[in-house]
Amino acid sequence: MFIASDEKGKHINALEKEPKKQDYYCPACGTSVRLRKGKNVRTHFAHTSIKQCDYYYENESLEHLENKVALFNWAQNDALVEMEYPIQELKQIADILINKQLAIEVQCSPLSSKLLQERSNGYRNSGIQVLWLLGEKLWLKERLTKLQRDFLYFSHNMGFYLWELDHKRQVLRLKYLLHQDLKGKLHYQLKEFSYGKGNLLEILRSPYQQQALITFSVEQDRKICHYIQKQLYYQNPYWMKKQAQAYLRGKNLLNSKPQDWYPQVRPIENGHFCQISQNLNDYYRNFRAYYERYPKKQQQKLYPPAFYQHYFSKNMVK
Ligand SMILES: [Zn+2]
C-alpha cells in the first residue's frame, strides 16, 4: 500500500513524497503499518500483522505494487482516479477506482473462488463495476483453470475475454474470443496495450465497442476419436459423464466418427461464471446452429458471438 495515516489521521502518500520516520496506520483498519524502503522496491507501507486487517488479505508483492502504480498513472491522464479507495460498508479496498464507478483490482496471487465471488458481488451491489486484471501467476496457459474461469468476462463483439498485466514488459494484455477444443486446449486472440499509451478507460471498455469483424481459423484434430476412446479407457470423469449422456440418447461415443465432433473448437462451457451475469444461452444455441448448417471442414472459422446472432436474425427475416 502507498497510503497510510499518521498519528493525527492525516493521509500520507508514499508516491508523492518520501515519508518521514514515524508511526503509521492502515487508513482502513487502523492497525499499525511499517514503512518499507529498499533498493529494488518502491517505498511503500505494509501491515505489521496482516491478519488483523479485514481489508487487505495479504501484503502486496513487488509485482502488485508496480502494476498498481503503472495503472494509476496511466488512468490519471484521462479520468478521476483514486488509489486504495476504501469502501467501508464492504470492508474492501479498491486498488484503483476510476470515476467513482469502475474498480480495478490487480490480482497477482490465487484466491479462493468464494472470496472472489464475495468481493465481486460486493462491488456490484454497491453499483461499482469491477475489473480483475491478472498478474503472472494467473496468466492463461494451455488450459483454463477453475479460478481463471471466474475472471472471464463476456461481450458480443469479443466473446469470452480476460485481462492480464505484464509489468516486466509494461503491457496490458487482452485475451479474447476464448474457445476451447475437445481436449480442453484454449484458442484465442490477443491484443497488447503499452502502459501509458492511449486512454486506459477506453481500452478497458473496448470489448463493448463496435469493431471490425474479427475471425480466425482453427484446425480440426483428425485423431479426435482415438483421443476420446483413450479417455474412456482411462475413465476420465469428464468423458465418462459425456458417455453417460450419450447412452441416454441411445448412442455410444466409442462408435463416433470425426465428423460427429464438428465443430471441435467451442465456446467456454456453459455453467456458472463469476463475472458474467447475462444469459448466454442464445450464444451457445446460435453457435451450434451455425455449424450444423455449414459443411464440415478441416478448418473451422471462429467468430464473435455477435456474428452468429446476426447470421440467424438476418436469415429469419428472409
Ligand atoms: Zn488494514
Side-chain angles (χ1 to χ4, degrees):
M1 56 204 276
F2 295 106
I3 299 167
S5 302
D6 66 9
E7 263 174 342
K8 291 177 190 143
K10 192 177 159 221
H11 283 191
I12 308 293
N13 186 337
L15 293 170
E16 285 166 5
K17 64 172 192 190
E18 197 61 22
K20 297 189 285 200
K21 266 203 169 160
Q22 60 179 56
D23 290 338
Y24 289 103
Y25 306 91
C26 169
C29 74
T31 68
S32 134
V33 296
R34 249 197 296 258
L35 184 61
R36 278 195 182 166
K37 295 186 198 192
K39 233 194 269 175
N40 301 316
V41 61
R42 219 180 269 272
T43 302
H44 67 282
F45 301 100
H47 282 77
T48 315
S49 166
I50 192 74
K51 287 201 184 100
Q52 289 172 26
C53 184
D54 291 331
Y55 291 79
Y56 286 90
Y57 59 104
E58 62 183 1
N59 276 323
E60 300 150 293
S61 61
L62 176 79
E63 184 192 16
H64 189 116
L65 293 165
E66 287 305 311
N67 277 320
K68 190 156 75 172
V69 174
L71 292 166
F72 177 74
N73 291 337
W74 189 0
Q76 241 181 352
N77 298 336
D78 305 283
L80 169 68
V81 193
E82 284 151 292
M83 183 183 275
E84 294 165 10
Y85 186 85
I87 301 166
Q88 303 288 352
E89 64 269 29
L90 301 178
K91 296 233 167 192
Q92 267 170 230
I93 294 214
D95 279 331
I96 291 166
L97 187 67
I98 303 182
N99 293 342
K100 303 222 178 262
Q101 52 178 340
L102 174 65
I104 304 290
E105 287 286 351
V106 174
Q107 190 64 38
C108 296
S109 55
L111 76 170
S112 74
S113 285
K114 185 170 168 274
L115 186 59
L116 176 59
Q117 182 82 58
E118 276 169 19
R119 293 190 167 233
S120 303
N121 289 349
Y123 280 119
R124 282 193 283 269
N125 295 340
S126 14
I128 296 171
Q129 199 200 343
V130 58
L131 278 181
W132 298 85
L133 314 185
L134 308 181
E136 195 165 349
K137 276 185 197 151
L138 299 173
W139 291 351
L140 287 185
K141 303 265 162 48
E142 210 179 52
R143 285 152 201 276
L144 191 70
T145 66
K146 200 172 162 291
L147 180 60
Q148 285 165 338
R149 182 183 163 97
D150 287 340
F151 290 114
L152 292 181
Y153 294 90
F154 179 87
S155 89
H156 285 287
N157 296 324
M158 287 197 164
F160 290 104
Y161 67 92
L162 58 68
W163 297 99
E164 295 178 349
L165 292 169
D166 185 341
H167 86 101
K168 287 181 196 145
R169 288 184 49 236
Q170 297 273 294
V171 292
L172 167 67
R173 200 160 37 232
L174 171 61
K175 290 185 171 166
Y176 64 102
L177 283 189
L178 280 160
H179 292 79
Q180 55 195 169
D181 64 24
L182 293 168
K183 295 177 174 178
K185 189 174 171 264
L186 292 168
H187 301 264
Y188 54 82
Q189 298 290 287
L190 70 86
K191 270 188 188 180
E192 291 188 332
F193 305 92
S194 295
Y195 286 180
K197 286 201 185 139
N199 180 322
L200 177 60
L201 197 56
E202 277 177 17
I203 290 169
L204 294 173
R205 295 205 166 135
S206 62
Y208 300 93
Q209 276 149 14
Q210 284 287 349
Q211 41 211 299
L213 180 70
I214 319 146
T215 167
F216 68 106
S217 292
V218 284
E219 185 88 6
Q220 304 297 290
D221 182 351
R222 293 174 202 267
K223 293 184 182 152
I224 194 64
C225 294
H226 178 68
Y227 169 82
I228 293 166
Q229 282 158 13
K230 221 162 85 183
Q231 298 309 306
L232 289 170
Y233 179 79
Y234 289 112
Q235 309 204 331
N236 173 317
Y238 175 85
W239 286 102
M240 294 299 278
K241 201 172 136 197
K242 292 276 172 202
Q243 175 72 309
Q245 290 164 350
Y247 283 148
L248 290 176
R249 297 192 307 268
K251 296 206 166 134
N252 182 349
L253 300 188
L254 292 171
N255 301 331
S256 63
K257 298 188 178 65
Q259 59 267 32
D260 296 334
W261 295 102
Y262 185 85
Q264 288 184 21
V265 183
R266 303 170 182 190
I268 304 304
E269 278 204 26
N270 207 350
H272 177 259
F273 292 103
C274 187
Q275 313 299 331
I276 303 168
S277 49
Q278 74 219 81
N279 185 320
L280 304 179
N281 290 341
D282 279 353
Y283 170 42
Y284 291 102
R285 196 175 43 240
N286 290 335
F287 184 93
R288 275 195 307 270
Y290 178 81
Y291 294 101
E292 271 164 23
R293 187 173 289 203
Y294 267 78
K296 297 172 169 59
K297 289 179 185 157
Q298 187 54 27
Q299 290 283 328
Q300 177 194 349
K301 236 177 154 184
L302 289 165
Y303 301 92
F307 171 86
Y308 302 104
Q309 188 186 21
H310 186 68
Y311 179 84
F312 283 103
S313 55
K314 205 174 60 192
N315 283 286
M316 275 202 329
V317 178
K318 276 182 192 171

